Amino acid sequence: YLRDRSISMDWKERDFVSQIKDYIDSSLKKVLLISGLRGTGKTVGLLQAMEHNNALYILPTADRRNEFSNAKEIIDCIADSTENVIMIDEYSWIVDREKYHLDRYLDSLVNSGKRVIVTGTESLCIEALKAGELIHRAITIQTNHISFEEYCRLYDLEMNKRNNRQFLFRGGIFEDYVINNELTMQNYIEESIIKNLRAYITGVLKQKIDEGKIGTLIYTLFYRAIWSIVHDDIKFYSDSMETLSAMDRLGIDADMKKINPHELEMIADVLEQAGVIIKVRNLFPRENKLNEYHLDTDYKTYIVNSSLTWQLLRTLFPEYRDEDGLIGILFEASCMVDLCYKKQKADDIYFIENNDNGKNFEIDIAIVQNNYTP
């Protein structure tokens, strides 16, 4: 537990920190959820936002029996505090939350004028709070997306082509989480996404699911996101031994023979909610046959973190030597993600496919639709 701690951080404040400060200065009677994957600066942002504020920062800890703080301890700590701003990190680590109605207690705090901010590495479990006691009583700030402009500001870089390439390779994430090769990519996906999703399924949905199946679903979803944006020159290598070997290592089921398409769509919806991917809808979706995989026709999928896209491209198509061609694909995906994050809330973004006599479907244009008028 930290009280009135003066934070001296070397990192510059991310853009979302100003949104936290706006919330602290507001009278909004809702809990603020900070959602994002590892390495996106959630905790640092919290500590930066609490500086110069009368704030209580709570981090659940484990005792000698490796048991985390329970909800009663958290409630007692808050009840004894005089701070107006309550920040709780790693919220999903707290045990007995339902028993002591901790979620409801947080709602009572904001209704009494307190500012309550919740975050944690299990971002899906944080986001799921809006479906329980905090339904219609919480708002979310997503931290996964970092724009090129923000990246350059954080690292004191000029906005030029060379730095843009570096940004695309790094995905904007902080130094400790830069994805450099297939192994570091797999480690990041396992620690930040697969475990996150597993905790959500078992802890929130109360369902049992084979751990290996979660990995297969996620990697297959990522593969199809990559496949939908690469051009024919790259697809030419799809049957090479190197590519097939990489797909086998990652557990990708390209032909959808071992996994249920509806389960894959469920995973896509969950990861979109968590800010791991975005889905851009087709303005004129093609007619679907029964049980046909909808991701191929109804919308295109893009991975928010461009370094994941980059490493997947390099892992899946190691024999394709045209780096500039790969970067062009990476740039297109990054632009689409940026467009989705920068659009007005009232707008919807669609794509139109160019049907070349039924032989070739391509993304031609993204359309912004305002007030349901194209």
Side-chain angles (χ1 to χ4, degrees):
Y1 306 94
L2 302 175
R3 280 191 174 87
D4 298 327
R5 175 178 172 181
S6 178
I7 306 302
S8 176
M9 308 301 296
D10 294 331
W11 284 339
K12 292 185 177 181
E13 291 183 1
R14 281 208 50 197
D15 289 349
F16 74 84
V17 177
S18 64
Q19 295 176 269
I20 299 177
K21 292 179 178 178
D22 288 343
Y23 168 80
I24 291 174
D25 292 336
S26 76
S27 57
L28 185 65
K29 292 184 178 181
K30 292 191 176 185
V31 175
L32 177 63
L33 310 179
I34 311 297
S35 177
L37 299 179
R38 292 178 185 273
T40 55
K42 299 184 301 298
T43 297
V44 173
L46 272 184
L47 298 178
Q48 290 171 329
M50 73 179 281
E51 193 173 16
H52 308 306
N53 280 291
N54 184 28
L56 168 66
Y57 173 80
I58 299 175
L59 175 64
T61 55
D63 59 20
R64 293 178 181 177
R65 295 169 297 175
N66 202 32
E67 294 180 359
F68 285 104
S69 306
N70 66 47
K72 188 177 185 306
E73 292 177 306
I74 303 299
I75 292 173
D76 290 344
C77 176
I78 296 173
D80 292 338
S81 71
T82 59
E83 290 81 2
N84 187 55
V85 181
I86 311 298
M87 299 179 171
I88 308 178
D89 205 346
E90 299 300 355
Y91 189 73
S92 60
W93 292 0
I94 302 171
V95 297
D96 292 332
R97 285 179 13 226
E98 293 182 5
K99 178 180 178 181
Y100 293 99
H101 305 289
L102 181 57
D103 298 352
R104 190 183 306 171
Y105 178 69
L106 299 185
D107 180 52
S108 70
L109 290 174
V110 296
N111 279 288
S112 66
K114 297 277 190 179
R115 306 285 78 207
V116 179
I117 306 170
V118 170
T119 190
T121 51
E122 294 175 353
S123 55
L124 282 172
C125 297
I126 299 300
E127 185 67 21
L129 294 174
K130 293 194 296 187
E133 294 281 358
L134 295 179
I135 187 170
H136 306 310
R137 294 180 172 87
I139 58 173
T140 302
I141 293 176
Q142 289 278 1
T143 64
N144 288 336
H145 174 62
I146 300 179
S147 68
F148 180 48
E149 294 91 338
E150 182 180 4
Y151 174 80
C152 289
R153 179 181 63 78
L154 290 172
Y155 293 99
D156 293 319
L157 300 172
E158 293 183 6
M159 292 183 64
N160 56 37
K161 183 177 179 180
R162 179 175 61 85
N163 290 330
N164 184 254
R165 289 168 72 105
Q166 177 179 303
F167 161 73
L168 293 173
F169 296 157
R170 294 183 60 173
I173 58 179
F174 294 104
E175 194 68 38
D176 290 344
Y177 292 93
V178 172
I179 299 163
N180 296 310
N181 52 51
E182 181 182 343
L183 179 60
T184 58
M185 176 193 72
Q186 286 184 281
N187 287 339
Y188 185 80
I189 290 175
E190 172 64 32
E191 294 297 321
S192 298
I193 302 177
I194 294 177
K195 285 186 177 180
N196 192 349
L197 187 60
R198 189 180 301 138
Y200 174 76
I201 291 173
T202 58
V204 178
L205 300 182
K206 308 296 184 184
Q207 293 183 7
K208 292 183 179 180
I209 187 169
D210 181 78
E211 295 183 3
K213 190 174 185 179
I214 294 177
T216 295
L217 287 166
I218 288 175
Y219 276 111
T220 301
L221 175 65
F222 285 172
Y223 169 78
R224 298 188 79 89
I226 296 294
W227 186 256
S228 69
I229 60 176
V230 299
H231 48 71
D232 290 340
D233 287 349
I234 300 176
K235 290 181 178 180
F236 174 79
Y237 293 90
S238 61
D239 291 328
S240 73
M241 290 301 298
E242 292 282 347
T243 295
L244 294 174
S245 176
M247 292 173 63
D248 184 62
R249 289 196 305 272
L250 299 179
I252 293 171
D253 184 7
D255 296 325
M256 304 285 291
K257 293 180 178 179
K258 299 178 181 179
I259 58 179
N260 187 321
H262 300 294
E263 287 184 341
L264 198 62
E265 286 202 74
M266 179 195 72
I267 295 296
D269 290 341
V270 171
L271 293 187
E272 181 185 36
Q273 179 185 358
V276 176
I277 64 171
I278 63 166
K279 295 190 294 187
V280 179
R281 271 66 181 179
N282 190 344
L283 188 61
F284 304 110
R286 282 174 274 158
E287 221 176 287
N288 282 293
K289 297 178 182 178
L290 186 63
N291 295 326
E292 187 177 350
Y293 183 51
H294 289 227
L295 273 179
D296 288 337
T297 57
D298 289 351
Y299 47 82
K300 299 293 182 183
T301 307
Y302 297 89
I303 303 168
V304 169
N305 187 323
S306 63
S307 64
L308 283 178
T309 304
W310 174 244
Q311 290 303 330
L312 281 166
L313 283 168
R314 294 178 64 189
T315 299
L316 292 170
F317 303 104
E319 296 174 285
Y320 187 75
R321 306 299 183 185
D322 182 8
E323 185 174 274
D324 287 339
L326 294 178
I327 292 173
I329 294 167
L330 201 61
F331 183 73
E332 174 190 326
S334 179
C335 287
M336 187 64 78
V337 170
D338 206 46
L339 181 63
C340 288
Y341 273 90
K342 289 182 176 178
K343 74 178 182 63
Q344 298 295 319
K345 287 185 177 180
D347 294 337
D348 294 311
I349 295 180
Y350 298 90
F351 70 87
I352 294 178
E353 289 180 321
N354 177 30
N355 185 353
D356 183 12
N357 296 322
K359 298 179 181 179
N360 186 31
F361 288 87
E362 296 180 343
I363 297 179
D364 275 346
I365 189 170
I367 295 180
V368 176
Q369 185 184 51
N370 186 285
N371 296 325
Y372 303 102
T373 303

